[in-house]
Amino acid sequence: PENWFEIIFNPSFPYRFVHMMLAAYLTTAFVVGAVGAWHLLKDKTNPGARIMLSMAMWMAAIVTPVQIMAGDMHGLNTLEHQPAKIAAVEGHFEGERGAPLLLFGIPDMEAAETRYKVELPKLGSIILTHSLDGRVPGLKDFPREDWPNATIVFFSFRVMVGIGFLMLGLGVWSLYLRWRGRLYDTPLFKRAALLMGPSGFVAVLAGWITT
């Protein structure tokens, strides 16, 4: 290390800082929500547990969409400064314009290809470049010794994003139940909130593996 200031306050710092700060709030909210849900499953009139679940679900409903937008901005910053990482995260070995979004696949580092791909046409370019014909880099654009391990970051990224959308889904569900006046009276919702209790920790770990 030659300059710790430049290492810490590198171009991705503000994006990672905001992304991690929001992740910390969401992780805490889902733990609080799970504890509240556990108590409400035993006694739906418990006033303290109602406050816990209500506050947690407001956090889920409001902060999760903001977190998804922050993640998108972080991804654009990573594309600018660490394009090889984006190629690995997306599972692209060949750079291309109008790149698809790979929902699933198994990156094979030795063969330099992603097998068993399930993809959505053009969506990769739309997300990463905000253009139908934007070019998304592939790992073959870079020296092989500089390739990240695509097999690891491909899946860690999808675990993080998948949990993020589950959080969003629970937040939206809570808004619907709140509107119907049934936030505390729906056992299935409370069980879902209970199951989501540790989800933030998993998402944070997956996110840092990706980072």
Side-chain angles (χ1 to χ4, degrees):
E2 295 180 0
N3 187 320
W4 279 107
F5 186 87
E6 290 184 358
I7 290 170
I8 295 170
F9 297 99
N10 64 74
S12 76
F13 173 80
Y15 300 91
R16 283 186 295 111
F17 181 81
V18 170
H19 200 46
M20 183 60 217
M21 182 181 68
L22 295 174
Y25 278 111
L26 284 172
T27 298
T28 306
F30 276 89
V31 171
V32 171
V35 174
W38 185 78
H39 284 290
L40 289 171
L41 282 167
K42 296 191 296 179
D43 176 11
K44 68 180 181 180
T45 65
N46 185 318
R50 284 183 168 220
I51 292 172
M52 293 171 72
L53 183 66
S54 178
M55 290 180 68
M57 290 305 107
W58 277 124
M59 182 73 75
I62 295 169
V63 176
T64 306
V66 178
Q67 175 70 308
I68 291 171
M69 289 188 289
D72 178 63
M73 294 174 66
H74 187 8
L76 296 177
N77 176 264
T78 305
L79 178 62
E80 180 181 355
H81 295 282
Q82 294 178 292
K85 180 187 287 187
I86 287 296
V89 162
E90 296 299 320
H92 292 308
F93 287 88
E94 303 282 351
E96 60 179 309
R97 292 190 174 277
L101 174 68
L102 271 62
L103 297 177
F104 179 79
I106 301 178
D108 186 331
M109 294 293 289
E110 188 173 337
E113 65 173 315
T114 298
R115 305 180 186 277
Y116 313 113
K117 292 188 287 188
V118 178
E119 58 189 35
L120 298 175
K122 304 283 188 180
L123 193 55
S125 286
I126 293 172
I127 292 172
L128 286 168
T129 69
H130 296 175
S131 167
L132 274 171
D133 296 316
R135 188 179 190 278
V136 174
L139 284 173
K140 291 182 180 179
D141 294 344
F142 311 96
R144 189 151 190 152
E145 61 269 20
D146 294 335
W147 288 11
N149 190 317
T151 308
I152 293 174
V153 296
F154 182 87
F155 287 107
S156 64
F157 177 77
R158 278 153 184 77
V159 168
M160 177 187 69
V161 171
I163 291 173
F165 278 101
L166 287 176
M167 289 177 167
L168 179 64
L170 194 68
V172 172
W173 189 5
S174 76
L175 290 177
Y176 172 75
L177 292 177
R178 200 185 293 273
W179 173 63
R180 295 291 304 272
R182 298 184 56 211
L183 183 65
Y184 312 112
D185 303 324
T186 308
L188 183 60
F189 172 77
K190 288 182 281 191
R191 290 191 179 93
L194 180 58
L195 288 173
M196 287 290 287
S199 62
F201 295 105
V202 179
V204 166
L205 289 171
W208 275 110
I209 289 169
T210 304
T211 296

